[in-house]
Short mmCIF file of all heavy atoms in Angstrom, two decimals:
data_model
loop_
_atom_site.label_atom_id
_atom_site.label_comp_id
_atom_site.label_asym_id
_atom_site.label_seq_id
_atom_site.Cartn_x
_atom_site.Cartn_y
_atom_site.Cartn_z
N PHE A 160 -171.82 22.45 189.97
CA PHE A 160 -172.68 22.33 188.78
C PHE A 160 -172.81 20.88 188.35
O PHE A 160 -173.93 20.49 187.92
CB PHE A 160 -172.09 23.18 187.65
CG PHE A 160 -172.10 24.67 187.96
CD1 PHE A 160 -170.92 25.39 187.79
CD2 PHE A 160 -173.23 25.31 188.51
CE1 PHE A 160 -170.90 26.75 188.07
CE2 PHE A 160 -173.19 26.62 188.77
CZ PHE A 160 -172.01 27.34 188.59
N ARG A 161 -171.78 20.13 188.42
CA ARG A 161 -171.84 18.71 188.05
C ARG A 161 -172.82 17.98 188.96
O ARG A 161 -173.64 17.14 188.51
CB ARG A 161 -170.48 18.05 188.00
CG ARG A 161 -170.45 16.73 187.39
CD ARG A 161 -169.12 16.30 186.86
NE ARG A 161 -168.81 17.04 185.65
CZ ARG A 161 -167.68 17.74 185.48
NH1 ARG A 161 -166.78 17.88 186.40
NH2 ARG A 161 -167.45 18.36 184.33
N ARG A 162 -172.75 18.21 190.20
CA ARG A 162 -173.68 17.54 191.20
C ARG A 162 -175.09 17.96 190.92
O ARG A 162 -176.01 17.13 190.96
CB ARG A 162 -173.30 17.95 192.62
CG ARG A 162 -172.04 17.20 193.14
CD ARG A 162 -171.87 17.37 194.63
NE ARG A 162 -171.81 18.69 195.10
CZ ARG A 162 -170.75 19.51 195.11
NH1 ARG A 162 -169.58 19.02 194.64
NH2 ARG A 162 -170.79 20.73 195.57
N LEU A 163 -175.36 19.20 190.66
CA LEU A 163 -176.72 19.68 190.27
C LEU A 163 -177.18 19.03 189.04
O LEU A 163 -178.31 18.56 188.96
CB LEU A 163 -176.69 21.21 190.18
CG LEU A 163 -176.68 22.06 191.41
CD1 LEU A 163 -176.42 23.46 191.12
CD2 LEU A 163 -177.97 21.78 192.27
N ALA A 164 -176.25 19.01 188.02
CA ALA A 164 -176.66 18.32 186.76
C ALA A 164 -176.97 16.89 187.00
O ALA A 164 -177.92 16.31 186.38
CB ALA A 164 -175.57 18.54 185.73
N ASP A 165 -176.16 16.15 187.74
CA ASP A 165 -176.41 14.71 188.04
C ASP A 165 -177.80 14.59 188.71
O ASP A 165 -178.58 13.63 188.38
CB ASP A 165 -175.30 14.18 188.95
CG ASP A 165 -174.06 13.95 188.21
OD1 ASP A 165 -174.07 14.00 187.02
OD2 ASP A 165 -173.02 13.79 188.92
N ALA A 166 -178.12 15.44 189.58
CA ALA A 166 -179.43 15.38 190.31
C ALA A 166 -180.57 15.59 189.24
O ALA A 166 -181.63 14.93 189.34
CB ALA A 166 -179.51 16.43 191.40
N ALA A 167 -180.38 16.48 188.35
CA ALA A 167 -181.40 16.77 187.30
C ALA A 167 -181.49 15.48 186.41
O ALA A 167 -182.64 15.13 186.14
CB ALA A 167 -181.02 17.98 186.47
N TRP A 168 -180.46 14.94 185.99
CA TRP A 168 -180.57 13.81 185.13
C TRP A 168 -181.15 12.55 185.79
O TRP A 168 -181.97 11.85 185.16
CB TRP A 168 -179.16 13.41 184.62
CG TRP A 168 -178.60 14.31 183.56
CD1 TRP A 168 -179.33 14.95 182.60
CD2 TRP A 168 -177.23 14.58 183.29
NE1 TRP A 168 -178.51 15.70 181.73
CE2 TRP A 168 -177.19 15.48 182.18
CE3 TRP A 168 -176.06 14.29 183.82
CZ2 TRP A 168 -176.02 15.98 181.65
CZ3 TRP A 168 -174.89 14.78 183.35
CH2 TRP A 168 -174.83 15.65 182.28
N LYS A 169 -180.85 12.34 187.05
CA LYS A 169 -181.25 11.15 187.78
C LYS A 169 -182.73 11.27 188.23
O LYS A 169 -183.43 10.36 188.29
CB LYS A 169 -180.41 10.86 188.93
CG LYS A 169 -179.03 10.38 188.56
CD LYS A 169 -178.12 10.15 189.76
CE LYS A 169 -176.75 9.76 189.32
NZ LYS A 169 -175.75 9.63 190.52
N TYR A 170 -183.07 12.46 188.73
CA TYR A 170 -184.29 12.60 189.44
C TYR A 170 -185.26 13.68 188.86
O TYR A 170 -186.24 14.04 189.48
CB TYR A 170 -184.04 12.99 190.89
CG TYR A 170 -183.03 12.06 191.57
CD1 TYR A 170 -181.80 12.50 191.90
CD2 TYR A 170 -183.37 10.73 191.82
CE1 TYR A 170 -180.92 11.69 192.51
CE2 TYR A 170 -182.46 9.87 192.46
CZ TYR A 170 -181.19 10.39 192.74
OH TYR A 170 -180.29 9.52 193.35
N GLY A 171 -184.94 14.20 187.74
CA GLY A 171 -185.67 15.37 187.24
C GLY A 171 -185.04 16.58 187.80
O GLY A 171 -183.93 16.60 188.30
N LEU A 172 -185.78 17.73 187.77
CA LEU A 172 -185.19 18.97 188.25
C LEU A 172 -185.35 19.13 189.78
O LEU A 172 -186.17 19.82 190.18
CB LEU A 172 -185.84 20.14 187.51
CG LEU A 172 -185.59 20.12 186.02
CD1 LEU A 172 -186.34 21.33 185.35
CD2 LEU A 172 -184.08 20.28 185.72
N ARG A 173 -184.54 18.34 190.44
CA ARG A 173 -184.54 18.38 191.87
C ARG A 173 -183.41 19.13 192.35
O ARG A 173 -182.33 19.13 191.82
CB ARG A 173 -184.55 17.03 192.48
CG ARG A 173 -185.89 16.29 192.14
CD ARG A 173 -185.96 14.93 192.78
NE ARG A 173 -186.00 15.16 194.26
CZ ARG A 173 -185.88 14.22 195.11
NH1 ARG A 173 -185.80 12.90 194.68
NH2 ARG A 173 -185.95 14.36 196.40
N TYR A 174 -183.48 19.76 193.49
CA TYR A 174 -182.45 20.58 194.09
C TYR A 174 -181.50 19.77 194.97
O TYR A 174 -181.95 19.03 195.75
CB TYR A 174 -183.03 21.76 194.89
CG TYR A 174 -182.10 22.64 195.56
CD1 TYR A 174 -181.27 23.47 194.80
CD2 TYR A 174 -181.97 22.72 196.91
CE1 TYR A 174 -180.42 24.33 195.39
CE2 TYR A 174 -181.10 23.54 197.55
CZ TYR A 174 -180.27 24.32 196.80
OH TYR A 174 -179.41 25.17 197.42
N ASN A 175 -180.21 20.01 194.81
CA ASN A 175 -179.21 19.47 195.71
C ASN A 175 -178.79 20.43 196.76
O ASN A 175 -178.27 21.54 196.41
CB ASN A 175 -177.99 18.96 194.87
CG ASN A 175 -176.93 18.32 195.65
OD1 ASN A 175 -176.86 18.38 196.90
ND2 ASN A 175 -176.13 17.58 195.00
N LYS A 176 -179.04 20.16 198.01
CA LYS A 176 -178.84 21.18 199.09
C LYS A 176 -177.29 21.47 199.30
O LYS A 176 -177.02 22.29 200.15
CB LYS A 176 -179.47 20.75 200.36
CG LYS A 176 -180.95 20.75 200.23
CD LYS A 176 -181.62 20.45 201.53
CE LYS A 176 -183.08 20.53 201.38
NZ LYS A 176 -183.82 20.40 202.65
N LYS A 177 -176.43 20.78 198.63
CA LYS A 177 -175.00 21.05 198.84
C LYS A 177 -174.44 22.09 197.95
O LYS A 177 -173.29 22.13 197.51
CB LYS A 177 -174.26 19.74 198.61
CG LYS A 177 -174.58 18.68 199.64
CD LYS A 177 -173.82 17.36 199.40
CE LYS A 177 -174.18 16.35 200.41
NZ LYS A 177 -173.47 15.07 200.19
N VAL A 178 -175.25 23.01 197.53
CA VAL A 178 -174.84 24.09 196.66
C VAL A 178 -173.95 25.04 197.36
O VAL A 178 -174.19 25.49 198.44
CB VAL A 178 -176.04 24.92 196.04
CG1 VAL A 178 -175.63 26.08 195.26
CG2 VAL A 178 -176.92 23.97 195.20
N ASP A 179 -172.83 25.39 196.75
CA ASP A 179 -171.83 26.29 197.36
C ASP A 179 -171.84 27.58 196.52
O ASP A 179 -171.38 27.61 195.44
CB ASP A 179 -170.46 25.63 197.29
CG ASP A 179 -169.33 26.56 197.91
OD1 ASP A 179 -169.60 27.73 198.03
OD2 ASP A 179 -168.26 26.00 198.15
N PHE A 180 -172.47 28.63 197.09
CA PHE A 180 -172.72 29.84 196.39
C PHE A 180 -171.42 30.57 196.10
O PHE A 180 -171.19 31.26 195.14
CB PHE A 180 -173.73 30.76 197.09
CG PHE A 180 -175.11 30.18 197.07
CD1 PHE A 180 -175.57 29.50 198.19
CD2 PHE A 180 -175.80 30.25 195.96
CE1 PHE A 180 -176.89 28.96 198.16
CE2 PHE A 180 -177.13 29.74 195.97
CZ PHE A 180 -177.64 29.07 197.03
N ASP A 181 -170.36 30.48 197.07
CA ASP A 181 -169.10 31.15 196.85
C ASP A 181 -168.39 30.48 195.62
O ASP A 181 -167.87 31.23 194.79
CB ASP A 181 -168.24 31.05 198.05
CG ASP A 181 -168.75 31.86 199.23
OD1 ASP A 181 -169.46 32.78 199.00
OD2 ASP A 181 -168.44 31.49 200.38
N SER A 182 -168.44 29.25 195.51
CA SER A 182 -167.77 28.60 194.31
C SER A 182 -168.50 28.91 193.05
O SER A 182 -167.88 29.13 192.01
CB SER A 182 -167.63 27.12 194.58
OG SER A 182 -168.80 26.42 194.70
N SER A 183 -169.85 28.96 193.10
CA SER A 183 -170.64 29.35 191.91
C SER A 183 -170.27 30.76 191.49
O SER A 183 -170.12 31.02 190.30
CB SER A 183 -172.09 29.23 192.19
OG SER A 183 -172.42 27.88 192.57
N ASN A 184 -170.18 31.62 192.42
CA ASN A 184 -169.79 33.03 192.17
C ASN A 184 -168.41 33.07 191.55
O ASN A 184 -168.21 33.83 190.57
CB ASN A 184 -169.89 33.83 193.42
CG ASN A 184 -169.67 35.32 193.14
OD1 ASN A 184 -170.33 35.89 192.24
ND2 ASN A 184 -168.77 35.93 193.84
N ALA A 185 -167.48 32.35 192.00
CA ALA A 185 -166.16 32.31 191.46
C ALA A 185 -166.17 31.85 190.08
O ALA A 185 -165.41 32.36 189.20
CB ALA A 185 -165.18 31.41 192.34
N PHE A 186 -166.97 30.89 189.79
CA PHE A 186 -167.06 30.37 188.40
C PHE A 186 -167.65 31.41 187.47
O PHE A 186 -167.06 31.74 186.37
CB PHE A 186 -167.95 29.10 188.37
CG PHE A 186 -168.18 28.48 187.02
CD1 PHE A 186 -167.19 27.70 186.46
CD2 PHE A 186 -169.37 28.67 186.35
CE1 PHE A 186 -167.31 27.13 185.17
CE2 PHE A 186 -169.49 28.19 185.05
CZ PHE A 186 -168.48 27.40 184.50
N PHE A 187 -168.75 32.06 187.81
CA PHE A 187 -169.44 32.94 186.96
C PHE A 187 -168.81 34.41 186.88
O PHE A 187 -169.23 35.15 186.02
CB PHE A 187 -170.94 33.09 187.27
CG PHE A 187 -171.75 31.97 186.81
CD1 PHE A 187 -172.32 31.08 187.78
CD2 PHE A 187 -171.88 31.69 185.53
CE1 PHE A 187 -173.10 30.04 187.24
CE2 PHE A 187 -172.57 30.61 185.02
CZ PHE A 187 -173.30 29.82 185.91
N THR A 188 -167.89 34.72 187.73
CA THR A 188 -167.21 36.00 187.60
C THR A 188 -165.97 35.97 186.85
O THR A 188 -165.21 36.93 186.70
CB THR A 188 -166.88 36.54 189.04
OG1 THR A 188 -166.09 35.65 189.75
CG2 THR A 188 -168.14 36.83 189.82
N GLN A 189 -165.68 34.88 186.12
CA GLN A 189 -164.58 34.80 185.17
C GLN A 189 -164.88 35.73 183.96
O GLN A 189 -166.00 35.89 183.58
CB GLN A 189 -164.28 33.37 184.82
CG GLN A 189 -163.83 32.62 186.02
CD GLN A 189 -163.55 31.15 185.65
OE1 GLN A 189 -162.47 30.73 185.39
NE2 GLN A 189 -164.59 30.34 185.67
N ASP A 190 -163.81 36.15 183.31
CA ASP A 190 -163.97 37.13 182.17
C ASP A 190 -164.82 36.62 181.11
O ASP A 190 -165.53 37.45 180.53
CB ASP A 190 -162.55 37.43 181.64
CG ASP A 190 -161.70 38.28 182.59
OD1 ASP A 190 -162.23 38.83 183.56
OD2 ASP A 190 -160.46 38.27 182.37
N TRP A 191 -164.87 35.41 180.76
CA TRP A 191 -165.62 34.91 179.59
C TRP A 191 -167.04 35.25 179.70
O TRP A 191 -167.71 35.55 178.74
CB TRP A 191 -165.38 33.39 179.38
CG TRP A 191 -166.10 32.85 178.20
CD1 TRP A 191 -165.79 33.03 176.84
CD2 TRP A 191 -167.33 32.07 178.17
NE1 TRP A 191 -166.63 32.38 176.04
CE2 TRP A 191 -167.67 31.81 176.87
CE3 TRP A 191 -168.15 31.57 179.17
CZ2 TRP A 191 -168.74 31.04 176.44
CZ3 TRP A 191 -169.25 30.89 178.79
CH2 TRP A 191 -169.53 30.62 177.48
N PHE A 192 -167.59 35.15 180.95
CA PHE A 192 -168.99 35.43 181.13
C PHE A 192 -169.40 36.87 180.97
O PHE A 192 -170.54 37.15 180.80
CB PHE A 192 -169.43 34.90 182.51
CG PHE A 192 -169.39 33.40 182.58
CD1 PHE A 192 -168.29 32.81 183.29
CD2 PHE A 192 -170.35 32.62 182.09
CE1 PHE A 192 -168.21 31.40 183.33
CE2 PHE A 192 -170.29 31.20 182.19
CZ PHE A 192 -169.23 30.65 182.76
N ALA A 193 -168.47 37.78 180.89
CA ALA A 193 -168.73 39.19 180.68
C ALA A 193 -168.85 39.60 179.24
O ALA A 193 -169.34 40.65 178.91
CB ALA A 193 -167.63 40.00 181.39
N GLY A 194 -168.42 38.63 178.35
CA GLY A 194 -168.47 38.97 176.93
C GLY A 194 -169.88 38.86 176.30
O GLY A 194 -170.64 37.99 176.65
N LEU A 195 -170.15 39.81 175.40
CA LEU A 195 -171.42 39.81 174.78
C LEU A 195 -171.63 38.64 173.75
O LEU A 195 -172.77 38.21 173.56
CB LEU A 195 -171.60 41.12 174.04
CG LEU A 195 -171.69 42.32 174.89
CD1 LEU A 195 -171.76 43.64 174.01
CD2 LEU A 195 -172.89 42.33 175.80
N TRP A 196 -170.53 38.18 173.22
CA TRP A 196 -170.59 37.15 172.21
C TRP A 196 -170.83 35.70 172.84
O TRP A 196 -171.13 34.77 172.09
CB TRP A 196 -169.29 37.03 171.46
CG TRP A 196 -168.15 36.70 172.36
CD1 TRP A 196 -167.65 35.49 172.76
CD2 TRP A 196 -167.35 37.63 173.07
NE1 TRP A 196 -166.69 35.59 173.59
CE2 TRP A 196 -166.39 36.93 173.83
CE3 TRP A 196 -167.30 39.08 173.16
CZ2 TRP A 196 -165.49 37.48 174.66
CZ3 TRP A 196 -166.32 39.67 173.93
CH2 TRP A 196 -165.49 38.85 174.71
N ILE A 197 -170.87 35.57 174.15
CA ILE A 197 -171.02 34.23 174.68
C ILE A 197 -172.39 33.65 174.43
O ILE A 197 -172.54 32.47 174.33
CB ILE A 197 -170.68 34.15 176.18
CG1 ILE A 197 -171.79 34.92 177.03
CG2 ILE A 197 -169.28 34.67 176.48
CD1 ILE A 197 -171.71 34.49 178.50
N VAL A 198 -173.39 34.53 174.26
CA VAL A 198 -174.74 33.99 173.88
C VAL A 198 -174.70 33.29 172.61
O VAL A 198 -175.18 32.14 172.41
CB VAL A 198 -175.80 35.18 173.84
CG1 VAL A 198 -177.08 34.65 173.33
CG2 VAL A 198 -175.87 35.81 175.22
N GLN A 199 -174.00 33.84 171.60
CA GLN A 199 -173.83 33.27 170.23
C GLN A 199 -173.07 31.92 170.44
O GLN A 199 -173.39 30.89 169.87
CB GLN A 199 -173.11 34.11 169.29
CG GLN A 199 -173.95 35.38 168.90
CD GLN A 199 -173.25 36.29 167.96
OE1 GLN A 199 -172.02 36.34 167.95
NE2 GLN A 199 -173.98 36.96 167.16
N GLU A 200 -171.90 31.94 171.17
CA GLU A 200 -171.12 30.76 171.31
C GLU A 200 -171.96 29.68 172.00
O GLU A 200 -171.79 28.45 171.63
CB GLU A 200 -169.88 31.08 172.22
CG GLU A 200 -168.80 31.90 171.63
CD GLU A 200 -167.63 32.09 172.47
OE1 GLU A 200 -167.47 31.43 173.58
OE2 GLU A 200 -166.83 32.97 172.17
N TYR A 201 -172.72 30.02 172.98
CA TYR A 201 -173.41 29.00 173.80
C TYR A 201 -174.74 28.53 173.10
O TYR A 201 -174.99 27.34 173.16
CB TYR A 201 -173.77 29.65 175.14
CG TYR A 201 -174.15 28.59 176.18
CD1 TYR A 201 -173.15 27.90 176.89
CD2 TYR A 201 -175.48 28.39 176.51
CE1 TYR A 201 -173.52 26.98 177.77
CE2 TYR A 201 -175.85 27.38 177.39
CZ TYR A 201 -174.84 26.71 178.12
OH TYR A 201 -175.19 25.84 179.00
N VAL A 202 -175.40 29.40 172.45
CA VAL A 202 -176.74 29.04 171.92
C VAL A 202 -176.64 28.48 170.44
O VAL A 202 -177.40 27.61 170.14
CB VAL A 202 -177.70 30.24 171.98
CG1 VAL A 202 -179.04 29.96 171.27
CG2 VAL A 202 -177.90 30.60 173.43
#
């Protein structure tokens, strides 16, 4: 995510081909993301 964000900040919304879908999945399957209140916390 940090590499993707760096690419966005430096070059606009460009894609970094080094995306690791397994690690992204590991990140988003953590318990916090299942909570309904996270929208309020985040937004």
Side-chain angles (χ1 to χ4, degrees):
F160 297 129
R161 191 158 284 125
R162 286 190 305 275
L163 286 169
D165 286 344
W168 283 329
K169 290 177 184 174
Y170 310 111
L172 296 177
R173 295 185 64 189
Y174 179 67
N175 182 341
K176 292 186 179 187
K177 296 181 180 178
V178 174
D179 180 343
F180 293 101
D181 291 336
S182 62
S183 300
N184 187 51
F186 179 79
F187 281 116
T188 57
Q189 294 179 94
D190 290 343
W191 182 74
F192 292 100
L195 295 175
W196 61 88
I197 71 165
V198 173
Q199 293 176 331
E200 286 182 14
Y201 196 81
V202 173

